[in-house]
Amino acid sequence: MESTTKKCFVCQRETYKDNSELNLDVNLPVCTNCKGTKMEKEKVLELLDSLADGFVCGCI
Ligand SMILES: [Zn+2]
């Protein structure tokens, strides 16, 4: 369990309390470099898409 080390879900760099925020759409930490960028939005859509796919697969 690596609950103490969190990574920015956009750039995969380690984040710390003072240089990151929680993205409430996906409930994952995002560093201040990526916060509010186009990349962040694309990654959010990607993650939400893959979650949706998982639900679709359960219907078979
Ligand atoms: Zn980042």
Side-chain angles (χ1 to χ4, degrees):
M1 297 294 181
E2 292 180 32
S3 56
T4 49
T5 307
K6 293 186 176 171
K7 286 181 179 173
C8 168
F9 74 96
V10 182
C11 66
Q12 305 301 318
R13 288 197 191 121
E14 285 182 23
T15 60
Y16 304 93
K17 235 189 336 187
D18 55 345
N19 78 346
S20 69
E21 289 177 42
L22 200 65
N23 181 304
L24 295 177
D25 288 332
V26 289
N27 213 29
L28 289 169
V30 57
C31 70
T32 48
N33 283 338
C34 301
K35 177 84 188 161
T37 62
K38 198 179 157 198
M39 265 178 58
E40 183 198 18
K41 283 172 194 157
E42 283 174 2
K43 204 80 183 170
V44 167
L45 289 177
E46 215 175 274
L47 287 169
L48 293 180
D49 266 5
S50 60
L51 283 179
D53 283 350
F55 287 126
V56 171
C57 288
C59 295
I60 297 171

